[in-house]
Structure formats: structure tokens, C-alpha cells
Amino acid sequence: MPSQNPPAPAPAQLTGLPPVVSPATRVLILGSFPGVASLRAGQYYGHPQNQFWRILQALWPEHPQPGPGDYAGRCAWLLARGLGLWDVYAACEREGSLDADIRNAVVNDFAGLRAAVPGLVAIAHNGGESFRHARAVRASLGLTARDEGGEGSTAIASLRLPSSSPAHALWSFERKRIAWAEALAPYGLV
């Protein structure tokens, strides 16, 4: 009788990071879920190859960003520019850092966040996995497609940004920077 290998253990349930927001946040940037390096560091976009912080610095070159060793300073710098950070998922199972490996994900409580961010005008999804859940995020906020507003509206727009992940190498840094600038410009952030 051939020996049978026991089934591989299921990946452990991982818990994400808390939101980085303030009452002045106008645009909330949503990733899918932090990678291994980010979870280990307890910091959003903690992998040194991720272009997130570099893209933002390129959008505001006149405002030097604190270095990687000053995460609290980076968060304050980000908040001072009207941006916030969070993820679509509060928890999930995943081996490694790839979005394609996310299993049994639990969506964050966006309805609970809305009261803390009264001036929110847009949610910018950092990459395809995050944007794939734009409808669920909008539903959690109590929004419908009709709530996508224009200038002067109190609606919250959903934006798709090219991923800042090192796994998204099809786009050059400059192409990503331009796309991010174009997405944020209508909200007075660049």
C-alpha cells in the first residue's frame, strides 16, 4: 500500500494593519492586504522594493518625505497631504505576499471608518485585487453607483491606481507616477 502524505496544514489566519486616517483625509488609498515584509514591520508598504512611498515623494518633491526609518513621520507626512491608508481585507489566509494566494478573506469595516473620515471624497484602489472589491467597499460605506459624483458632490468616487507592488513590473515607475498624479489631481492633492 503506498504511503499517503498528510495534507499540508492550512495557512494561518493573518491580521492586517489599522487604518492611517485623520478627519482631514480626502482620499483613502486601499491596498488588498499587507505583504509579509509589511506585516513583519507593522508598516504599510514596508517592502523596500514597493514603489508606494517613492511614487508619493515624486508627486510632492517640494515636501521631503521622512526616511524609511521614520514610519510615524511618513504617516504624518501622508496625512498632511490629505491621504489615508488602509486595506480591503482585515484578515486572510495567505502563504507569501502575492494577492493571488489570498484565501478566506474578511473585508474591513468601512462603515465604521466613515465617521472618522467625514471629508472623504475618493477611494483609490492600489492595484487590481483591491479594485476588484470596489463594489463591496462602496456597499459597506452605504454607497451605490449613483453616489459617484462630480465637482461639488458629497459622493465618494472609486479610482483604480496601477499597483505600486514590485510584482507589477509591466508599468515603469514614471508611468505609475503619471497615473497616480492624474487620479489624485481632481481632488486637489497634486
Side-chain angles (χ1 to χ4, degrees), residues 3-173:
S3 67
Q4 293 184 356
N5 293 331
Q13 183 80 2
L14 303 171
T15 302
L17 301 173
V20 176
V21 294
S22 79
T25 297
R26 296 182 40 75
V27 176
L28 179 64
I29 297 176
L30 286 183
S32 54
F33 192 78
V36 172
S38 295
L39 287 173
R40 192 174 298 130
Q43 302 177 7
Y44 284 101
Y45 305 101
H47 191 289
Q49 298 297 318
N50 193 296
Q51 296 176 328
F52 177 81
W53 295 105
R54 189 172 155 220
I55 289 169
L56 293 183
Q57 180 59 77
L59 296 179
W60 299 296
E62 68 280 6
H63 301 285
Q65 179 186 111
D70 184 5
Y71 180 68
R74 278 185 161 184
C75 289
W77 179 87
L78 177 102
L79 291 170
R81 270 141 205 85
L83 292 179
L85 291 176
W86 209 14
D87 284 310
V88 169
Y89 303 129
C92 69
E93 294 174 0
R94 184 187 62 204
E95 297 264 347
S97 294
L98 295 177
D99 284 347
D101 295 334
I102 292 174
R103 302 285 181 265
N104 300 317
V106 177
V107 175
N108 265 314
D109 176 18
F110 293 98
L113 180 79
R114 192 163 189 193
V117 189
L120 188 65
V121 293
I123 296 171
H125 294 270
N126 185 358
E129 178 65 17
S130 173
F131 189 73
R132 193 166 70 84
H133 299 285
R135 233 181 236 174
V137 170
R138 295 184 67 69
S140 179
L141 286 166
L143 303 172
T144 66
R146 291 187 327 221
D147 295 318
E148 293 266 351
E151 190 72 27
S153 172
T154 58
I156 298 173
S158 294
L159 313 171
R160 182 176 180 167
L161 300 171
S163 176
S164 63
S165 168
H168 185 64
L170 295 176
W171 284 40
S172 69
F173 173 81

